[in-house]
C-alpha cells in the first residue's frame, strides 16, 4: 500500500543585517494585519453575530495595500497566510461555542509574539543559498540533503531566540511494509525516575533538563521582573531568558530523538500507555468547606509534579516515536493504562501500592522493579490486543 509521509526539514540561515531588519519589519506588519483583522471579526461578531469569512478579508487585501502602501513590502501570499492563521483560530473558537466550552476569542498578538512567515507555494529545494521573495538571497547551512523523491510544499522562515531558520515541509512517497515479521515486540512504561523502562529490562534515566537550569532561569526572571518595562535593559534580559529556554528546548529535543531512535533500532513493534497527559498536568480543583472557606488541596506538591511531567516531554516523545516508526515501516500501539502498575505480570493478581513503593512484590513470589512489571503488563496487553479476532 502506497501513501505519503509528510516531514519537515529545518536549516539554519544567516540573513544579513539589512535582511534581518526587513524580516523584522515584515513580522511587525504581519502582526498588525492579524490584530486588525481579528478586531474586525470580533467587532462584527459582538455587534450582530456576523461571521466575517477568510475570503472576505482576503479579497479586501488589494484595497488595504492602497490605503497602507507599506504592506506592499510583504509578499502577497504571506499576507494571505496570516489571514489563514486567523481563520483557523476563529474556526476553533466557533467549535468551542458549539460544544458549550468556554469559548474565548482568539488573542491579539503583542510585540515579539510573531516570529514566523510562511510562503505557501514555495517549491524550490534548499541549497547553500536560497532566494526568498521580498527578502533576497539568504545563506543557508545545507547540512543534509532532501531525498530525491521529496516534494517541497511550503517555506517558513522562523526566528528562535535570535537565531534564524528555514523550514521546508515536504511530502515523500512511501510503501508500507506488511505486519508480518516485525521483530522483538517491546512494551515501555514512561516514568519520572526512569524516562522509560522497557519489558526487556533496559531503561533510561530522566535528564531533568529544566530542573538543571532552574536556578539560572529564576535569576534571569527576577531581574526581568525588576527592570523597567520596555526599556533597553528589559529587552536585553528578555533575550537572555528566551535563549535559556531555547537551550533547554534543544537539549530536550535531542534527548527525545536519540531515545526514540534507540528504541526503534531494537524493536519493530512497540507498545506504550495511552496517557492523557493534559489531564495529568491539570491543577487540582479548589476545596471549600460548608462556610466557603478554602481548604488545603495539595496544590503546591501537584505544581512540582506538573513541572516534572512537562519537563520530561512524554507527549513529544510519543509523537516522535510514532512518526519515526511510520517512516521506518515499524509499528507503535497505545494500550489502556488501567492497572498496568498494580497488576502482577506473572500471575495477574492486583497488588495495590502507592507511588512511593518502587518494588513490586506479589504473593506468587514474583519480585521486580515497579516499572519493569508495568512494562511487562503493557507488552502482554498489546500482544493480546493484536492477536484478538476482529
Amino acid at each position: 500500500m502506497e501513501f505519503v509521509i509528510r516531514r519537515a526539514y529545518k536549516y539554519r540561515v544567516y540573513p544579513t543585517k539589512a535582511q534581518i531588519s526587513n524580516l523584522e519589519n515584515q513580522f511587525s506588519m504581519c502582526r498588525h494585519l492579524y490584530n486588525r483583522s481579528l478586531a474586525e471579526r470580533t467587532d462584527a461578531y459582538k455587534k450582530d453575530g456576523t461571521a466575517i469569512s477568510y475570503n472576505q478579508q482576503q479579497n479586501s487585501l488589494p484595497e488595504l495595500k492602497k490605503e497602507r502602501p507599506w504592506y506592499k513590502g510583504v509578499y502577497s501570499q504571506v499576507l494571505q497566510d496570516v489571514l489563514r492563521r486567523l481563520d483557523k483560530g476563529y474556526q476553533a473558537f466557533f467549535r468551542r461555542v458549539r460544544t458549550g466550552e468556554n469559548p474565548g476569542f482568539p488573542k491579539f498578538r503583542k510585540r515579539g509574539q510573531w516570529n514566523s512567515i510562511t510562503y505557501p507555494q514555495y517549491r524550490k529545494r534548499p541549497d547553500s543559498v536560497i532566494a526568498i521573495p521580498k527578502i533576497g538571497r539568504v545563506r543557508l547551512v545545507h547540512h543534509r540533503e532532501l531525498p530525491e523523491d521529496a516534494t517541497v510544499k511550503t517555506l517558513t522562515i522562523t526566528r528562535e531566540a535570535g537565531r534564524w531558520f528555514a523550514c521546508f515541509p515536504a511530502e515523500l512517497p512511501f510503501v508500507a511494509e506488511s505486519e508480518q515479521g516485525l521483530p522483538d515486540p517491546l512494551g515501555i512504561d514512561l516514568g519520572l525516575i526512569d524516562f522509560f523502562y522497557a519489558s526487556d529490562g533496559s531503561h533510561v534515566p530522566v535528564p531533568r533538563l529544566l530542573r538543571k537550569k532552574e536556578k539560572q532561569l529564576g535569576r534571569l526572571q527576577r531581574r526581568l521582573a525588576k527592570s523597567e518595562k520596555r526599556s533597553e535593559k528589559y529587552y536585553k534580559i528578555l533575550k537572555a531568558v528566551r535563549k535559556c529556554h531555547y537551550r533547554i528546548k534543544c537539549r530536550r529535543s535531542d534527548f527525545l530523538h536519540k531515545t526514540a531512535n534507540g528504541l526503534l533500532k531494537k524493536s519493530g513493534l512497540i507498545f506504550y500507555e495511552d496517557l492523557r497527559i493534559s489531564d495529568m498536568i491539570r491543577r487540582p480543583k479548589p476545596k471549600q468547606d460548608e462556610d466557603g472557606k478554602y481548604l488545603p488541596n495539595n496544590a503546591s506538591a501537584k505544581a512540582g509534579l506538573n513541572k516534572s511531567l512537562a519537563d520530561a516531554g512524554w507527549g513529544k516523545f510519543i509523537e516522535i516515536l510514532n512518526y519515526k516508526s511510520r517512516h521506518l515501516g515499524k509499528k507503535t500501539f497505545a494500550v489502556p493504562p488501567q492497572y498496568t502498575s498494580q497488576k502482577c505480570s506473572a500471575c495477574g493478581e492486583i497488588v495495590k501500592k502507592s507511588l512511593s513503593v518502587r518494588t513490586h512484590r506479589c504473593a506468587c513470589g514474583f519480585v521486580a522493579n515497579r516499572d519493569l512489571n508495568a512494562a511487562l503488563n503493557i507488552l502482554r496487553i498489546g500482544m493480546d490486543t493484536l492477536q484478538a479476532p476482529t
Side-chain angles (χ1 to χ4, degrees):
M1 175 183 175
E2 292 189 0
F3 60 95
V4 172
I5 288 181
R6 293 179 175 85
R7 295 193 66 181
Y9 293 82
K10 191 174 181 180
Y11 301 87
R12 182 81 181 268
V13 294
Y14 289 90
T16 64
K17 289 184 178 180
Q19 289 171 337
I20 289 175
S21 178
N22 187 0
L23 282 166
E24 289 176 343
N25 286 336
Q26 291 197 31
F27 285 0
S28 179
M29 285 186 278
C30 288
R31 182 176 67 89
H32 281 94
L33 175 63
Y34 182 93
N35 289 342
R36 178 186 182 278
S37 304
L38 173 58
E40 184 182 18
R41 283 195 174 206
T42 304
D43 292 343
Y45 184 80
K46 287 181 176 179
K47 185 178 180 181
D48 52 9
T50 305
I52 298 177
S53 68
Y54 160 76
N55 288 331
Q56 288 175 296
Q57 291 190 318
Q58 181 195 17
N59 293 337
S60 67
L61 282 176
E63 289 297 324
L64 179 63
K65 287 183 178 180
K66 291 180 181 178
E67 295 175 9
R68 306 182 179 189
W70 51 87
Y71 276 115
K72 294 179 182 179
V74 185
Y75 193 57
S76 59
Q77 292 182 3
V78 170
L79 297 176
Q80 292 168 12
D81 180 73
V82 172
L83 297 179
R84 285 194 193 94
R85 294 190 200 183
L86 174 60
D87 186 64
K88 187 177 179 181
Y90 247 87
Q91 294 305 320
F93 164 74
F94 288 127
R95 185 167 59 249
R96 292 193 297 270
V97 170
R98 288 194 299 270
T99 56
E101 300 177 32
N102 182 18
F105 287 101
K107 295 182 179 179
F108 291 94
R109 300 295 182 90
K110 299 178 183 178
R111 176 183 171 182
Q113 290 185 342
W114 195 278
N115 290 304
S116 68
I117 54 175
T118 298
Y119 298 84
Q121 296 182 7
Y122 195 92
R123 297 293 181 266
K124 297 178 182 177
R125 298 170 68 87
D127 203 343
S128 57
V129 176
I130 56 170
I132 305 175
K134 299 286 186 178
I135 295 172
R137 293 168 62 83
V138 180
R139 185 164 64 89
L140 177 144
V141 180
H142 196 214
H143 66 281
R144 63 170 174 170
E145 292 282 350
L146 259 70
E148 293 183 1
D149 53 358
T151 303
V152 175
K153 305 300 291 184
T154 62
L155 167 65
T156 300
I157 303 297
T158 62
R159 176 181 55 192
E160 299 179 34
R163 297 170 173 83
W164 295 88
F165 298 91
C167 186
F168 296 85
E171 291 183 351
L172 296 87
F174 182 75
V175 179
E177 297 179 1
S178 66
E179 295 184 10
Q180 302 298 322
L182 291 171
D184 304 324
L186 205 64
I188 59 170
D189 179 61
L190 300 176
L192 295 179
I193 297 176
D194 292 298
F195 180 75
F196 77 82
Y197 217 112
S199 54
D200 64 354
S202 61
H203 53 98
V204 173
V206 171
R208 294 185 175 90
L209 297 167
L210 176 61
R211 296 289 187 180
K212 291 177 181 178
K213 286 280 187 180
E214 204 166 19
K215 287 185 179 179
Q216 178 188 353
L217 196 55
R219 285 195 299 268
L220 289 171
Q221 288 172 333
R222 286 192 293 272
R223 289 176 59 195
L224 183 68
K226 292 177 181 178
S227 60
E228 184 183 350
K229 290 287 182 70
R230 294 176 177 78
S231 63
E232 185 178 349
K233 181 181 177 182
Y234 176 86
Y235 286 112
K236 184 178 179 180
I237 302 173
L238 180 62
K239 183 179 178 181
V241 171
R242 288 173 175 170
K243 187 176 181 179
C244 188
H245 277 296
Y246 178 73
R247 285 179 173 174
I248 295 169
K249 172 189 169 184
C250 288
R251 289 172 184 173
R252 183 184 292 117
S253 179
D254 180 68
F255 168 77
L256 297 178
H257 278 276
K258 287 179 178 177
T259 304
N261 288 339
L263 278 172
L264 291 169
K265 283 181 181 178
K266 291 198 299 183
S267 175
L269 181 59
I270 298 174
F271 301 100
Y272 60 89
E273 289 179 302
D274 187 14
L275 300 173
R276 293 187 177 182
I277 300 170
S278 59
D279 291 342
M280 293 173 67
I281 62 176
R282 187 170 295 167
R283 67 178 63 182
K285 293 182 179 179
K287 294 181 181 179
Q288 292 178 288
D289 59 14
E290 296 176 354
D291 299 328
K293 183 180 178 181
Y294 285 99
L295 301 173
N297 63 346
N298 206 27
S300 59
K302 185 64 169 66
L305 178 62
N306 291 350
K307 184 184 291 187
S308 296
L309 288 169
D311 188 19
W314 290 349
K316 187 66 176 178
F317 174 71
I318 295 301
E319 180 184 326
I320 291 171
L321 192 66
N322 285 333
Y323 90 73
K324 283 182 179 287
S325 65
R326 289 195 297 269
H327 181 67
L328 296 171
K330 300 185 177 184
K331 302 290 182 181
T332 56
F333 290 97
V335 303
Q338 288 79 10
Y339 299 106
T340 54
S341 295
Q342 307 293 338
K343 185 177 289 187
C344 179
S345 58
C347 66
E349 288 294 322
I350 299 294
V351 183
K352 292 187 178 181
K353 46 190 173 291
S354 64
L355 284 172
S356 60
V357 178
R358 304 310 306 168
T359 303
H360 170 82
R361 299 179 188 275
C362 183
C364 71
F366 181 69
V367 180
N369 181 285
R370 174 198 181 101
D371 297 334
L372 174 59
N373 177 68
L376 291 169
N377 280 324
I378 292 167
L379 175 61
R380 176 186 53 80
I381 295 170
M383 294 303 294
D384 290 347
T385 303
L386 286 183
Q387 294 170 6
T390 56

